[in-house]
Amino acid sequence: MSIGVLAAAILGITSAHATELNPRDMILIDRLTWGINASSAAHFQAIGAERWLNEQLHPASTTTLPEAVRNQIEAMADVHRLPFDIAVAFDQQAKSANQVIDPEQKKAAQQVYQQAMNERGKQAAARTILYALYAPDQLRERMAWFWFNHFNVHQYKANIRILIGDYQDRAIRPLALGKFRGLLMATLHHPAMLRYLDNSDNAAGHLNENYAREIMELHTMGVGSGYTQADVEALARILTGVGIDLKPEDPKLKPELQSQLVRDGAFEFNPARHDYGDKVFLGHPIQGRGLAEVDDAIDILVHHPATATHLCRQIAAYFVSDNPPEALVQRMAQIFKTTDGDIAAVLAAMVHAPEFTASLKPGVKFKDPVQYVFSAVRLAYDEKVILNTNPIQGWLNRLGEGLFNHETPDGYATASASWNGPGQMTLRFEIARQIGSGSSGLFKPDVPNAVDQPAFPLIQNSLYFGGLRQTLGPATLAALDQAISPQDWNTLFLSSPEFMR
């Protein structure tokens, strides 16, 4: 029995199914997911392209994960706790550590506190990786990472590590295919964003413009879209009093302000910190009346034509090409406007556009490190659930795109030029060898005295013989023919120019 037929039997797909997928179908799957594998190809073949696209654009509200993935996630600390409870518990731990008298014991207690915060960050990254590898709603996962990068926060500022998992799991992933306004408001209300861009320090008489500037420059309209420094100041004034409060009791307020107080978990609008003067924002007069001003400002930003164009250009650059055709961007922007910012509708317009279809050919989109690593692991192990995400976190850190590690608000670059230098390629070859040669610790649970469970990546399977082989050029095929072992073959395939794209 050939290795291809054997693989088909093991994976439960027929060679005929794989054969019927033409190169364009395979590139479509690869483009809209975290990487094609035998099971995703078989599912696509079974239901057809349009039904598959509809499934991806309109998934169920909750993701159905394999039991082995759910078990790993359920074992993580704080996975079901809300940011307020998490932050209060960690604040108490920090205070307790700082009150220790003995210097050595104090140092040890502070180290335990830091280690606990680091562990929450690692677990948040682990959840993101597990969702990316095994969630059936792959397009939502691609967009969850896109939007996190768009609304970037850096986990190592202050105590954001303990909030980063909730930020991704509750503020971003569930809204990644919904209306843009809902997503923008969810990030605005989240303590991770308010702490990262310092709006918790923004108060009447003590303006902090950081968040106001980034909302316009990065999150909505984009650079050079017509807003002025006066608009930044107006938005900063509108956002005064929007912050974080971890105290159990409400702040002391004058009687006339008490009805204006809003608290929702860790989020707080404190009217005593708000600038109630009237403002003019992007040419619109806004009457000073409290938190309702924020709703007004967000409505203005979401419906500004520059926002539609800016967001659609970024989405097209993510999925189509580094410099997407302007005609495509404008058609997507028109859909954004007519559907009130419906992200799934914008994506549907993009996928059905002739420019997108024309881009479905080998070599158009270069994979950034996250997509490269995720697609390699998905192809190598398919539905076999890894037991330890630490190696993947390490690879991404070494490749310069560690999850939640970008310090500045602009997020990681998506253009090829940021990721295709010689040093990056050398590292990718090394990581390809680690993935292609064996489990690399992916199947060794992250617990003391764990034993590495045997697992070998099966890339030369029916999907390869029935389809992926057709996407390879003569030089890559010649190199694969020279492989001296299955491990060597896997490494050469994962290092090939075609797999990098």
Side-chain angles (χ1 to χ4, degrees):
M1 180 182 287
S2 75
I3 190 168
V5 175
L6 177 62
I10 292 170
L11 294 169
I13 72 171
T14 67
S15 294
H17 275 174
T19 304
E20 289 166 22
L21 277 183
N22 60 50
R24 182 166 284 181
D25 286 335
M26 287 185 292
I27 295 168
L28 173 67
I29 298 169
D30 210 48
R31 189 75 64 82
L32 298 183
T33 71
W34 281 120
I36 192 170
N37 53 20
S39 59
S40 63
H43 180 62
F44 181 100
Q45 177 57 36
I47 65 173
E50 275 306 314
R51 190 170 154 204
W52 181 84
L53 276 171
N54 194 57
E55 275 187 0
Q56 292 299 317
L57 288 164
H58 305 286
S61 57
T62 54
T63 299
T64 305
L65 293 168
E67 184 180 5
V69 174
R70 290 201 311 274
N71 290 343
Q72 288 186 54
I73 290 174
E74 289 298 319
M76 295 176 186
D78 295 339
V79 70
H80 293 303
R81 296 176 81 193
L82 295 171
F84 180 87
D85 301 317
I86 298 169
V88 166
F90 270 89
D91 271 11
Q92 188 54 52
Q93 186 179 351
K95 285 174 187 168
S96 299
N98 290 330
Q99 285 168 357
V100 175
I101 305 288
D102 180 87
E104 288 302 312
Q105 290 180 351
K106 182 175 189 172
K107 184 180 177 183
Q110 289 171 336
Q111 285 175 340
V112 168
Y113 167 71
Q114 290 293 332
Q115 191 174 348
M117 288 205 294
N118 290 340
E119 194 60 29
R120 297 307 188 275
K122 274 179 60 179
Q123 289 176 355
R127 289 203 294 282
T128 293
I129 290 166
L130 290 169
Y131 270 94
L133 295 179
Y134 304 110
D137 40 341
Q138 281 285 295
L139 182 56
R140 176 157 58 194
E141 290 307 310
R142 286 292 310 274
M143 290 306 293
W145 174 242
F146 171 86
W147 288 122
F148 181 92
N149 204 43
H150 183 82
F151 294 107
N152 183 57
V153 302
H154 183 227
Q155 67 170 332
Y156 290 110
K157 179 170 179 175
N159 67 346
I160 289 175
R161 279 160 288 176
I162 66 174
L163 306 170
I164 203 87
D166 185 88
Y167 182 65
Q168 177 76 325
D169 293 344
R170 288 198 179 94
I172 292 181
R173 178 180 292 110
L175 304 169
L177 293 171
K179 293 287 183 82
F180 176 73
R181 188 188 193 282
L183 186 59
L184 178 59
M185 288 298 275
T187 58
L188 186 150
H189 281 82
H190 201 280
M193 177 61 78
L194 296 173
R195 183 151 285 162
Y196 175 60
L197 287 178
D198 305 315
N199 209 76
S200 48
D201 301 328
N202 184 22
H206 296 88
L207 275 193
N208 187 306
E209 298 175 3
N210 285 4
Y211 186 34
R213 178 171 289 103
E214 303 305 355
I215 283 181
M216 285 194 278
E217 183 175 309
L218 298 175
H219 300 169
T220 57
M221 295 169 63
V223 178
S225 54
Y227 64 85
T228 66
Q229 175 58 26
D231 292 314
V232 173
E233 290 173 12
L235 185 55
R237 290 176 60 208
I238 289 165
L239 288 166
T240 50
V242 170
I244 302 165
D245 191 353
L246 301 180
K247 299 184 191 72
E249 68 281 353
D250 288 344
K252 290 183 171 59
L253 297 170
K254 294 175 181 175
E256 62 269 24
L257 292 178
Q258 286 171 0
S259 65
Q260 290 266 313
L261 175 69
V262 177
R263 296 191 72 181
D264 182 11
F267 173 86
E268 177 183 76
F269 173 73
N270 185 335
R273 294 168 58 82
H274 182 66
D275 178 344
Y276 275 88
D278 293 343
K279 296 100 180 168
V280 176
F281 178 55
L282 292 169
H284 297 263
I286 292 184
Q287 183 185 355
R289 63 194 196 286
L291 188 58
E293 297 170 44
V294 176
D295 284 327
D296 289 349
I298 293 302
D299 281 337
I300 292 165
L301 286 167
V302 168
H303 294 109
H304 197 287
T307 296
T309 303
H310 177 60
L311 296 176
C312 291
R313 183 171 287 114
Q314 288 189 318
I315 292 170
Y318 186 58
F319 284 111
V320 183
S321 67
D322 288 352
N323 296 295
E326 189 61 24
L328 172 64
V329 172
Q330 292 306 325
R331 285 203 303 280
M332 291 166 64
Q334 189 56 41
I335 295 296
F336 184 96
K337 294 172 199 169
T338 57
T339 62
D340 199 24
D342 188 313
I343 298 161
V346 169
L347 289 169
M350 178 192 76
V351 172
H352 290 101
E355 294 91 344
F356 181 82
T357 304
S359 79
L360 295 178
K361 54 191 177 186
V364 171
K365 277 292 292 174
F366 188 81
K367 296 176 181 176
D368 66 0
V370 169
Q371 192 173 13
Y372 174 72
V373 171
F374 288 177
S375 62
V377 175
R378 274 176 61 81
L379 184 64
Y381 290 107
D382 200 359
E383 294 179 316
K384 184 175 177 64
V385 175
I386 64 170
L387 304 176
N388 190 343
T389 67
N390 287 339
I392 293 175
Q393 294 188 43
W395 295 330
L396 294 177
N397 288 334
R398 291 182 65 199
L399 289 166
E401 200 177 15
L403 302 182
F404 321 138
N405 281 357
H406 193 72
E407 290 189 29
T408 51
D410 53 349
Y412 288 112
T414 58
S416 308
S418 301
W419 306 112
N420 61 7
Q424 177 86 197
M425 291 301 99
T426 302
L427 270 174
R428 288 196 188 197
F429 298 151
E430 184 185 325
I431 290 164
R433 184 167 295 283
Q434 289 183 45
I435 296 172
S437 299
S439 71
S440 310
L442 294 172
F443 294 90
K444 184 177 182 180
D446 187 19
V447 293
N449 305 315
V451 177
D452 202 354
Q453 300 184 17
F456 187 76
L458 191 61
I459 298 172
Q460 200 177 17
N461 57 23
S462 63
L463 175 62
Y464 171 74
F465 287 107
L468 286 180
R469 186 178 171 87
Q470 300 172 47
T471 67
L472 304 179
T476 295
L477 290 169
L480 291 172
D481 286 342
Q482 301 299 312
I484 56 175
S485 68
Q487 293 92 330
D488 193 39
W489 191 97
N490 288 341
T491 301
L492 289 168
F493 182 87
L494 296 176
S495 303
S496 67
E498 292 89 345
F499 188 76
M500 296 282 182
R501 295 179 177 272

